[in-house]
């Protein structure tokens, strides 16, 4: 059944125009809750990507010359209109991604909050005047936009992952070509239309949806005009894109995979730790890069904690995202579902024990039961890889040193969480964790005021905060001489 959403654009946005792919090809977008086709979208390739890069290049001079306050006004209007139309955006997001409507609405407001944040930061791109060695000279530092940027974004936060890149890039005076994930192009296209209605000049923000990600990625990364790539996605694809950007020496921001440890000490407030874990682990059915992936609980409380966790998880309401009361929607795809099944089987084969869940949920083909497994060990896939599903593996530990060692035993380094009421321990463990973000007695840590990003193979670059704007600015040094009389 084709259940088209008439208000959502389905063509590419290039230079302010909505265009079909020259090849005439289109691709289907499906609702993961039902498998139904909800839209058919232009399937872009090389021609459209080159056109979008040219449009972004043509728009760059005027956009970067616009006073920051002018850019800020447009970004603020974009944010305000996204908030006004949050229901429409959320509904579209839920239909293509599957997450509960309340979460989708939260994501839209979160995305808009980056436009507000960076509209304010845009007017604070300060430089420096530095005393030179020699009193007849001054060192002057200014910051200028990097230029034409590219953004490749994933399906798990189809609004926010794109908007937080666009907000920083456009605030800095850059122009952008965005490639959203083929699973979820509608959120990006609808947000783009709202941006155009809010006054974005033609070419400043371009969107090329398509199924041949490698081809669009090749064109974006090999272009000499594109001066920066910001990518959110898997570490494997991130590695490829970094290599592809080497010949043209682009600036890069890489927000890659995570394998977040969630550490609960004996002295923790267990109620708060449980609340934090439920929020961190089960948001978006566990499909976030900062999701608690490995739960470590100190030996003194692990029995009580695992039991209480399993009880709460068993009550989670599973169903389609647009049904009232749903807390856990479907997984995004058959591949994602098969991966979760495989990881749980691996854990059970190696001695893990299911406390709740552990199988497909009857709500539909892509629904997995919220699951808790205890008795897990470091060799299991659930501990080594990103699960990206509603599965919480719980392991015990004895000492603080052991917890730190286990938490850092991964090539990833995105988010980590620690629950303790001992202030000294909070600092010690927070300092020792080799992760870009640490939530101490908090399970949700992202906000536009904070620098979001990873270390190690979780990537580099920061989104949000004043550091987020620096990612789209080049530093220029000028030496002013001849000042002596
Ligand atoms: P996920 O596992 O979350 O789907 P991916 O890294 O596969 O993560 O996808 C994130 C984004 O990267 C999506 O927009 C996807 O289309 C895109 N992508 C996937 N493979 C490539 C590639 N080879 N080159 C460029 N982009 C890619």
């Amino acid at each position: 059944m084709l259940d088209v959403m008439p208000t959502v654009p389905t063509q590419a946005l290039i230079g302010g125009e909505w265009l079909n792919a020259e090849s005439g090809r289109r691709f289907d977008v499906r609702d993961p809750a039902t498998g139904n086709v909800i839209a058919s979208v232009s399937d872009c390739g090389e021609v459209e990507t080159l056109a979008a890069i040219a449009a972004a290049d043509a728009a760059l001079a005027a956009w970067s010359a616009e006073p920051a306050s002018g850019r800020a006004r447009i970004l603020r209007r974009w944010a305000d209109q996204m908030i006004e139309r949050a229901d429409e955006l959320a509904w579209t997001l839920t239909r293509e991604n599957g997450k509960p409507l309340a979460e989708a609405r939260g994501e839209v407001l979160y995305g808009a909050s980056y436009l507000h944040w960076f509209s304010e930061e845009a007017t604070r791109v300060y430089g420096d005047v530095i005393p030179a060695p020699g009193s007849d000279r001054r060192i002057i530092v200014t910051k200028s936009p990097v230029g034409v940027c590219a953004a490749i974004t994933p399906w798990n936060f189809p609004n926010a992952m794109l908007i937080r890149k666009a907000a920083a890039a456009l605030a800095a005076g850059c122009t952008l070509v965005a490639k959203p994930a083929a699973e979820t192009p509608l959120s990006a296209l609808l947000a783009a239309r709202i941006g155009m209605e809010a006054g974005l000049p033609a070419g400043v923000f371009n969107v090329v949806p398509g199924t041949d990600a490698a081809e669009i990625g090749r064109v974006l990364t090999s272009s000499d005009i594109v001066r920066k790539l910001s990518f959110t996605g898997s570490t494997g694809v991130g590695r490829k894109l970094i290599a592809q950007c080497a010949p043209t020496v682009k600036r890069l921001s890489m927000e890659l995979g995570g394998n977040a440890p969630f550490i609960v000490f004996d002295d923790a407030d267990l109620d708060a730790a449980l609340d934090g874990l439920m929020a961190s682990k089960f948001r978006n059915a566990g499909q976030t890069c900062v999701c608690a992936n490995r739960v470590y609980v100190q030996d003194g409380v692990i029995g009580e904690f695992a039991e209480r966790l399993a009880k709460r998880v068993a009550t989670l309401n599973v169903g389609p995202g647009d049904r009232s009361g749903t807390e856990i929607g479907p997984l995004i795809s058959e591949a994602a579902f098969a991966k979760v099944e495989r990881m749980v089987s691996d854990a059970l084969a190696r001695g893990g024990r299911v406390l709740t869940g552990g199988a497909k949920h009857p709500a539909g083909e892509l629904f997995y039961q919220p699951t808790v497994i205890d008795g897990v060990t470091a060799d299991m896939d659930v501990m080594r890889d990103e699960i990206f599903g509603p599965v919480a593996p719980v392991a015990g530990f004895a000492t603080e040193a052991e917890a730190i060692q286990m938490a850092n035993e991964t090539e990833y380094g995105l988010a980590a969480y620690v629950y303790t009421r001992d202030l000294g321990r909070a600092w010690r463990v927070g300092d020792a964790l080799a992760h870009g973000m640490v939530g101490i007695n908090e399970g949700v840590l992202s906000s536009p005021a904070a620098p979001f990003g990873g270390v190690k193979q979780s990537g580099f670059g920061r989104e949000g905060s004043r550091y987020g704007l620096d990612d789209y600015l080049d530093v220029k040094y000028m030496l002013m001489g001849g000042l002596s009389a």
Side-chain angles (χ1 to χ4, degrees), residues 152-156 179-183 210-218 221 231-238 240-241 244 332 388:
I152 298 180
T153 53
W155 49 263
N156 63 342
K179 191 212 83 68
E183 294 86 344
T211 51
D212 193 347
E215 173 66 354
I216 297 173
R218 180 190 66 72
T221 53
F231 172 70
T232 299
S234 60
T235 295
V237 172
K240 276 191 213 160
L241 293 171
Q244 284 173 219
I332 190 70
F388 250 59

Side-chain angles (χ1 to χ4, degrees), residues 439-456:
I440 297 172
N441 298 322
E442 290 288 344
V444 176
L445 40 63
S446 183
S447 93
F452 189 106
V455 297
K456 293 163 70 179

Side-chain angles (χ1 to χ4, degrees), residues 138-455:
R138 297 286 184 281
I139 290 168
I140 296 167
V141 176
T142 60
K143 293 182 183 169
S144 46
V146 166
V148 174
C149 297
I152 298 180
T153 53
W155 49 263
N156 63 342
F157 287 89
N159 176 287
M161 292 305 98
L162 174 56
I163 297 301
R164 78 180 181 188
K165 292 185 196 308
L170 272 47
C174 299
T175 57
L176 193 67
V177 178
K179 191 212 83 68
E183 294 86 344
T184 56
L186 304 176
S187 295
L189 294 168
L190 182 54
R193 181 155 82 192
I194 294 172
M196 296 305 292
E197 288 168 8
L200 283 178
V204 166
F205 184 60
N206 307 276
V207 185
V208 281
T211 51
D212 193 347
E215 173 66 354
I216 297 173
R218 180 190 66 72
V219 177
L220 290 172
T221 53
S222 61
S223 165
D224 216 9
I225 296 169
V226 175
R227 293 316 312 146
K228 176 186 169 105
L229 169 68
S230 178
F231 172 70
T232 299
S234 60
T235 295
V237 172
R239 280 191 200 107
K240 276 191 213 160
L241 293 171
I242 293 169
Q244 284 173 219
C245 287
T248 48
V249 193
K250 287 192 207 324
R251 286 187 63 178
L252 294 166
S253 294
M254 290 278 141
E255 205 269 87
L256 308 178
N259 182 359
F262 190 102
I263 306 168
V264 183
F265 285 98
D266 283 346
D267 61 40
D269 174 342
L270 288 195
D271 293 327
L274 277 168
D275 287 345
L277 181 56
M278 294 302 291
S280 167
K281 175 73 246 183
F282 293 99
R283 203 155 48 105
N284 201 14
Q287 302 172 108
T288 88
C289 49
V290 292
C291 264
N293 206 66
R294 302 169 282 153
V295 184
Y296 295 114
V297 187
Q298 203 163 11
D299 290 343
V301 292
I302 187 168
E304 179 191 348
F305 189 84
E307 190 187 318
R308 289 178 62 190
L309 174 65
K311 271 206 186 107
R312 277 189 66 171
V313 170
T315 67
L316 284 171
N317 193 337
V318 181
D322 57 3
R323 193 191 64 188
S324 141
T326 290
E327 293 166 297
I328 301 282
L331 297 178
I332 190 70
S333 64
E334 280 164 25
F337 185 90
K339 180 181 168 205
V340 170
E341 272 196 325
R342 211 168 44 240
M343 289 179 107
V344 171
S345 304
D346 170 78
L348 301 189
R350 292 172 195 263
R353 212 163 47 104
V354 168
L355 299 186
T356 187
K360 184 173 172 170
H361 191 280
E365 284 308 302
L366 301 183
F367 290 83
Y368 198 85
Q369 291 175 355
T371 298
V372 179
I373 303 174
D374 78 351
V376 300
T377 47
D379 58 329
M380 296 178 183
D381 289 348
V382 283
M383 299 302 260
R384 290 147 50 97
D385 294 328
E386 230 176 359
I387 301 170
F388 250 59
V391 177
V394 182
F397 70 90
T399 64
E400 186 179 304
E402 196 186 348
I404 292 168
Q405 184 257 326
M406 289 163 120
N408 288 343
E409 212 167 48
T410 170
E411 71 264 29
Y412 295 109
L414 193 57
Y417 306 89
V418 185
Y419 277 75
T420 175
R421 278 184 286 203
D422 178 329
L423 190 57
R425 167 172 278 164
W427 277 105
R428 281 193 305 277
V429 178
D431 281 347
L433 287 170
H435 296 262
M437 299 175 279
V438 180
I440 297 172
N441 298 322
E442 290 288 344
V444 176
L445 40 63
S446 183
S447 93
F452 189 106
V455 297

Side-chain angles (χ1 to χ4, degrees), residues 51-64:
I53 293 170
D57 194 29
L60 180 65
W63 182 247
S64 59

